[in-house]
Amino acid sequence: MKKHGFGAIDLLISLLVMSALFLIYARMIKGVVPIKTESNIESIEKQVDETVNEIESLKNQRIELENKMLENNF
């Protein structure tokens, strides 16, 4: 009698084929998706620092204006 099942050898062969396909497609995706380099990270950090400095200067200006308004009212 012949069994119509999925044996261990078939499972291993299919696993081998799937892993080969995964490796092929992973290499293709790696070429398409841009990889973040050190220069990109540095430029992002620079932009964040500039934004933080701008926010801090605006905060200081607001505090100075509030202090001037309080001085003028009293």
Side-chain angles (χ1 to χ4, degrees):
M1 288 187 8
K2 187 175 180 183
K3 292 184 178 181
H4 297 287
F6 194 74
I9 293 175
D10 294 331
L11 181 66
L12 290 175
I13 290 172
S14 65
L15 186 62
L16 179 66
V17 170
M18 287 174 49
S19 63
L21 289 174
F22 175 76
L23 290 174
I24 291 169
Y25 286 116
R27 288 183 184 160
M28 289 173 58
I29 291 173
K30 186 186 283 186
V32 172
V33 176
I35 299 173
K36 294 181 180 177
T37 60
E38 290 296 321
S39 62
N40 286 345
I41 292 173
E42 289 175 0
S43 66
I44 291 171
E45 287 177 349
K46 190 176 184 180
Q47 289 177 351
V48 169
D49 288 341
E50 289 174 358
T51 306
V52 168
N53 289 337
E54 184 178 335
I55 291 171
E56 286 179 351
S57 68
L58 291 173
K59 179 183 171 186
N60 289 336
Q61 288 176 3
R62 183 186 58 87
I63 291 171
E64 289 175 7
L65 286 173
E66 285 180 358
N67 287 338
K68 285 181 183 179
M69 289 176 65
L70 286 174
E71 288 174 4
N72 289 339
N73 287 338
F74 291 111

